[in-house]
Amino acid sequence: MTSAPAEAAPDRRRAPDEAAPEEFQAAFDATIARRDRIEPRDWMPEGYRRTLVRQIAQHAHSEVIGMQPEGNWIGRAPSLRRKAILLAKVQDEAGHGLYLYSACETLGVSRAELTELLLSGRQKYSSIFNYPTLSYADVGTIGWLVDGAAIVNQVPLCRTSYGPYGRAMIRICKEESFHQRQGYELLMTMMRGTEAQREMVQESVNRFWWPSLMMFGPPDDKSPNSARSMAWGIKRNSNDELRQKFVDMTVPQADALGVTLPDPGLRWNEERGHYDFSEPDWDEFAAVISGNGPCNAQRLARRRAAHEEGAWVREAALAFANRSAGGGAA
Ligand code: BYC
């Protein structure tokens, strides 16, 4: 098969040092309207690039900080099997962080800069990881509810308009699906156990339910970024749509598990064809994302210490890469 001559293709590439000519904007708009992908070398509005850097970096930071609450239980897993599962899951999260940092780097920002933005508090990570893990049941609850919420939020991101982000999300979602199942299986096993184990599961679900609903972000009418991100095809659904989808999906799973969800307002609404539920405490959410949640200081301090302790690894890797590139012996 012969390819079309190069001049026949519409030129969407970046025009360095030039003001964005109208045809570049028009090509960008047409790509978005076709629900096609924008690729790193295509011209894009600066606001689109900045929004992607913000969201992808925040997502990458969440994966890496998200290793801490579960990592807390690796040394105390109740069996070798549970320990192997938990280790694999936490390693997957490091991998998700790497795919996402790589996707973000295609937008012209380095991983070192992104790490600095996280450590100095200028970029966020998901609110959910500022809550403590107080019992082993939390490992199951995080898998079931937190990874469950992540899947609902992230499956539509596989169709996001920016190519490298969407492709990273495809692989991440496959792994998140395993994470969700291992959590549910762990909770199911505990629910079939002793009364004390059942109580441990219920107590854990009570603590994680509301923070899981907050993962989807503020309500649509208080979400400053949503309208523009949806117009650009970065987000495919609104925060409230995805939150509702998560609730509808999770209530029957809670029934099957035999736990109650801590919301007296939760009931099926025949007319809407959805579950009604109460408002999360948005003041708590605001406090958590502005740095005042139960574990914010601890999470960032741990991340900072790991970064400093790992400096010699980065230096050694860089020296090795430089020597290899120069043709020297490894
Ligand atoms: N936490 O205008 P809005 C995982 C911020 S990792 C903290 O609606 P947007 C996992 C928001 O950034 C899960 N901040 O924003 C890992 C904005 O502030 P800035 C991570 C939040 O971007 C390990 C402001 O509030 N997932 O699953 O349109 C183990 C206004 O919000 C949060 C992702 O990152 C929050 N929950 O929508 C287990 C998914 N919500 O930045 C599991 C990708 C909002 O203007 N991200 N804010 O200062 C997204 O889909 C969107 O960024 C959001 C927010 C739906 C989260």
Side-chain angles (χ1 to χ4, degrees):
M1 203 172 97
T2 53
S3 54
E7 56 275 22
D11 192 354
R12 312 188 314 196
R13 284 169 304 168
R14 181 174 294 277
D17 306 326
E18 286 172 27
E22 273 165 29
E23 61 266 35
F24 282 101
Q25 178 74 51
F28 172 85
D29 292 344
T31 306
I32 298 292
R34 282 198 309 276
R35 294 172 79 90
D36 204 348
R37 303 273 209 204
I38 302 293
E39 295 298 339
R41 295 180 65 183
D42 294 342
W43 180 90
M44 61 187 81
E46 181 53 20
Y48 177 82
R49 194 189 71 83
R50 264 190 280 112
T51 300
L52 280 168
V53 169
R54 179 183 63 78
Q55 179 166 325
I56 303 173
Q58 179 171 321
H59 197 163
H61 300 325
S62 305
E63 297 284 355
V64 173
I65 297 266
M67 295 165 74
Q68 292 185 37
E70 290 172 285
N72 179 34
W73 285 92
I74 291 173
R76 291 176 285 166
S79 69
L80 183 59
R81 177 171 174 269
R82 291 291 170 201
K83 186 171 180 146
I85 293 171
L86 186 52
L87 267 173
K89 179 179 192 281
V90 171
Q91 279 181 353
D92 281 353
E93 278 145 16
H96 297 174
L98 288 181
Y99 312 154
L100 289 163
Y101 282 125
S102 299
C104 208
E105 284 186 315
T106 65
L107 292 157
V109 49
S110 74
R111 182 158 164 201
E113 285 171 83
L114 296 171
T115 304
E116 183 46 40
L117 288 167
L118 168 70
L119 295 180
S120 61
R122 280 175 291 158
Q123 279 183 343
K124 296 185 171 76
Y125 57 90
S126 181
S127 50
I128 191 74
F129 301 117
N130 291 307
Y131 292 87
T133 45
L134 304 178
S135 75
Y136 200 75
D138 289 358
V139 171
T141 309
I142 288 178
W144 175 41
L145 295 180
V146 175
D147 290 284
I151 292 170
V152 170
N153 167 265
Q154 291 173 15
V155 166
L157 290 175
C158 297
R159 291 178 286 107
T160 191
S161 58
Y162 188 57
Y165 189 25
R167 289 188 287 275
M169 289 317 306
I170 292 170
R171 185 156 170 196
I172 291 174
C173 282
K174 288 189 177 147
E175 292 176 355
E176 296 289 14
S177 159
F178 151 74
H179 294 173
Q180 200 263 358
R181 282 158 192 235
Q182 69 79 35
Y184 197 69
E185 189 268 344
L186 167 56
L187 295 184
M188 195 55 105
T189 305
M190 290 183 77
M191 291 302 285
R192 290 199 199 102
T194 64
E195 193 50 37
Q197 285 175 306
R198 278 190 286 278
E199 278 168 19
M200 197 187 278
V201 172
Q202 184 63 60
E203 190 273 335
S204 170
V205 169
N206 291 349
R207 275 184 290 112
F208 273 95
W209 175 246
W210 294 108
S212 300
L213 293 188
M214 294 176 196
M215 284 177 72
F216 295 93
D220 291 350
D221 58 1
K222 303 222 166 50
S223 163
N225 301 298
S226 275
R228 213 163 59 142
S229 285
M230 287 180 70
W232 275 330
I234 295 175
K235 283 166 82 163
R236 294 292 184 195
N237 301 87
S238 80
N239 299 357
D240 286 334
E241 276 168 17
L242 294 176
R243 194 170 5 254
Q244 179 73 63
K245 194 168 181 198
F246 173 70
V247 172
D248 291 347
M249 181 185 95
T250 308
V251 173
Q253 294 173 355
D255 287 343
L257 204 51
V259 294
T260 54
L261 297 171
D263 178 4
L266 191 64
R267 65 182 62 87
W268 179 251
N269 183 325
E270 194 63 50
E271 216 170 287
R272 291 199 312 120
H274 292 290
Y275 284 93
D276 289 338
F277 57 99
S278 310
E279 275 304 305
D281 180 347
W282 294 116
D283 291 339
E284 176 181 316
F285 174 75
V288 172
I289 69 169
S290 59
N292 298 314
C295 298
N296 295 58
Q298 179 188 331
R299 300 288 186 240
L300 268 186
R302 185 72 204 96
R303 182 70 196 87
R304 193 171 290 115
H307 186 64
E308 284 162 11
E309 285 159 20
W312 69 271
V313 179
R314 291 190 296 280
E315 279 163 28
L318 199 63
F320 179 77
N322 286 341
R323 201 161 59 163
S324 304

